[in-house]
């Protein structure tokens, strides 16, 4: 069983996240979307509502599960017997950030490999941050959220 954890804040989950998941489906038997709980940061969308919405949005992907977690991502992977961490890369800023996280995770968990997939160009500008910003100014963001 090839299991990957797709960790993130998903505050909110965007059509870009879902497109990335779709590209990853043929690579893994099971993917766990792991919604990180950050005690330091107040989320824009409440955790429970976010989880429910994400679960509903991913019903068409039966090999995908959705869970929240509040520990180290690599510890969560071990608990789920996942040997892979899935992450997305939109641009060079993402690349540097993701590489740094992957390097740290490799040091603390050499048995868990980070797999990075590139965003398709039409999703490269879509970020949860941009959606939160637009939503906070009352703009309709429904077309970007899953
Ligand atoms: P985090 O707060 O951990 O960065 P996010 O929810 O913002 O979590 O993103 C989770 C993962 O999804 C990250 O690897 C990020 O680069 C990737 N991602 C975010 N938006 C997109 C997108 N539009 N296309 C592809 N990957 C994306």
């Amino acid at each position: 069983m090839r299991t990957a954890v797709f960790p993130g804040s998903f505050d909110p989950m965007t059509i870009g996240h879902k497109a990335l998941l779709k590209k990853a489906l043929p690579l893994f038997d099971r993917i766990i979307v792991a919604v990180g709980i950050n005690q330091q940061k107040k989320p824009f969308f409440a955790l429970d509502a976010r989880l429910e919405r994400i679960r509903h949005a991913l019903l068409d992907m039966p090999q995908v599960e959705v869970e929240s977690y509040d520990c180290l991502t690599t510890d969560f992977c071990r608990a789920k017997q996942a040997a892979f961490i899935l992450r997305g890369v939109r641009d060079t800023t993402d690349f540097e950030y993701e590489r740094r996280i992957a390097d740290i995770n490799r040091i603390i968990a050499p048995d868990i490999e980070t797999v990075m997939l590139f965003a398709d160009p039409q999703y490269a500008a879509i970020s949860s941050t941009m959606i939160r910003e637009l939503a906070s100014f009352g703009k309709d963001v429904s077309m970007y959220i899953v």
Side-chain angles (χ1 to χ4, degrees), residues 6-20 41 69 86-90 94 97-98 101 116-120 122-129 132:
F6 183 29
S9 315
F10 305 110
D11 188 22
M13 178 171 274
T14 72
I15 54 172
H17 290 127
K18 187 169 179 183
L20 194 88
K41 244 170 44 183
Y69 76 112
L86 172 66
R87 295 286 285 182
V89 179
R90 285 162 292 188
D94 268 0
Y97 176 69
E98 295 296 341
I101 299 177
M116 291 203 274
L117 297 182
F118 290 104
D120 286 340
Q122 67 267 38
Y123 298 111
I126 298 172
S127 69
S128 301
T129 308
R132 290 196 301 270

Side-chain angles (χ1 to χ4, degrees), residues 30-144:
R30 180 167 76 127
I31 302 176
I32 303 169
V33 172
V35 182
I37 301 171
N38 184 344
Q39 310 286 6
Q40 259 63 264
K41 244 170 44 183
K42 194 182 171 329
F44 193 78
F45 295 96
L47 178 68
D48 286 347
R50 220 179 325 152
L51 287 171
E52 195 183 313
R53 194 176 174 122
I54 296 171
R55 284 199 181 105
H56 188 259
L58 302 180
L59 283 176
D60 57 337
M61 297 179 175
Q63 59 273 62
V64 177
E65 298 162 27
V66 182
E67 286 189 40
S68 61
Y69 76 112
D70 62 359
C71 58
L72 271 178
T73 300
T74 48
D75 287 344
F76 183 76
C77 290
R78 290 235 165 82
K80 297 292 166 187
Q81 295 180 327
F84 303 96
I85 295 173
L86 172 66
R87 295 286 285 182
V89 179
R90 285 162 292 188
D91 51 27
T92 53
T93 309
D94 268 0
F95 176 78
E96 292 298 340
Y97 176 69
E98 295 296 341
R99 192 183 56 174
R100 221 164 293 145
I101 299 177
D103 284 347
I104 294 165
N105 284 336
R106 189 179 301 107
I107 292 166
I108 58 177
D111 51 325
I112 298 172
E113 191 62 41
T114 298
V115 175
M116 291 203 274
L117 297 182
F118 290 104
D120 286 340
Q122 67 267 38
Y123 298 111
I126 298 172
S127 69
S128 301
T129 308
M130 175 215 45
I131 289 171
R132 290 196 301 270
E133 180 100 357
L134 291 175
S136 71
F137 287 105
K139 291 286 175 207
D140 178 15
V141 290
S142 53
M143 67 284 248
Y144 302 119

